[in-house]
Amino acid sequence: MKPLPGNYVFWLVMVAGLLLLGGCSSAPTIDGPAAAPPPVEHYIIGPGDSLEIFVRDNPSLSTSVPVRPDGRISIPLVQSIVAAGKTPDELAGDLESALSRYVRSPLVTVIVKSFVGAYSQQVRVVGQAAMPRAVPYRSGMTLLDVMIEVGGLTKFAAGNDAKVARRLSDGSEQTIPVRLGDLMNGAIKYNVVMHPGDILIIPQSLL
């Protein structure tokens, strides 16, 4: 039997070595703490919201109710309970506690049908917008989203002199100049991310 050529033997050894290393290797591990999940945003109920209250196995207690200006709601057996400032889950828990005096182990679900939100969850638009009003904040909302909600600018607006008033977490206030006129004319680089509680102020042109 003829011996194998030297270069052929070399390549066989290399392939065998690679296969051996591959078999012994394991999936890489990441040291240190796991990455924290992104924060979960919870909707806060506010006056003017419309709620669906479902009480399991008790259709006579299930109802649709508005949140009154004082932030309270009323349902059968519960004359008045604070809803504003709570998440739907928190309100459901409070209703379960209140109904437990009359119903055995009540299970309540609260669904927000239409929402306005607490002031801290709104973006308020004042001045020369077509429909100045408070807009419910949504996660990821931008300045352009807000302008679409309020129907754009009036013909008297000084859009490029507009400002966003923002309250920071330390209680201080920040004023951010925004160029609404350029943004509404297609300059997307002037689009900015809005925060809940922002106030967009659109002045009137002096010309």
Side-chain angles (χ1 to χ4, degrees):
M1 181 175 180
K2 291 184 179 182
L4 295 172
N7 59 348
Y8 187 74
V9 173
F10 171 77
W11 285 111
L12 282 177
V13 171
M14 287 291 292
V15 170
L18 290 172
L19 290 174
L20 182 60
L21 287 173
C24 295
S25 64
S26 58
T29 59
I30 301 175
D31 296 328
V40 178
E41 295 188 3
H42 298 285
Y43 179 74
I44 304 298
I45 297 169
D49 288 354
S50 179
L51 308 179
E52 284 277 5
I53 313 294
F54 294 98
V55 183
R56 190 180 67 178
D57 299 329
N58 285 276
S60 62
L61 299 180
S62 300
T63 185
S64 297
V65 293
V67 182
R68 301 194 300 264
D70 63 359
R72 293 176 171 269
I73 63 170
S74 298
I75 69 169
L77 300 182
V78 180
Q79 186 64 31
S80 180
I81 190 169
V82 174
K86 300 176 182 176
T87 67
D89 286 345
E90 289 171 342
L91 177 57
D94 290 347
L95 287 171
E96 287 173 353
S97 297
L99 288 172
S100 63
R101 298 171 56 189
Y102 313 100
V103 179
R104 189 176 207 177
S105 302
L107 181 61
V108 178
T109 301
V110 176
I111 299 174
V112 181
K113 288 176 57 181
S114 63
F115 56 92
V116 174
Y119 285 134
S120 62
Q121 297 292 310
Q122 297 176 7
V123 174
R124 283 168 281 174
V125 183
V126 297
Q128 296 300 311
M131 297 179 291
R133 62 190 182 92
V135 177
Y137 175 78
R138 300 187 300 275
S139 178
M141 176 176 272
T142 66
L143 182 59
L144 184 57
D145 295 327
V146 173
M147 292 311 300
I148 292 171
E149 292 276 356
V150 298
L153 300 170
T154 70
K155 63 181 180 180
F156 305 108
N160 286 340
D161 294 327
K163 294 178 175 61
V164 172
R166 176 173 297 165
R167 184 173 294 278
L168 304 179
S169 57
D170 61 2
S172 62
E173 291 187 356
Q174 179 184 20
T175 300
I176 306 167
V178 290
R179 299 187 64 84
L180 279 181
D182 292 338
L183 174 63
M184 299 304 290
N185 284 324
I188 299 300
K189 66 180 180 179
Y190 295 114
N191 200 14
V192 298
V193 176
M194 303 298 285
H195 291 189
D198 280 354
I199 302 173
L200 175 60
I201 304 166
I202 309 171
Q204 182 175 342
S205 174
L206 299 178
L207 299 179

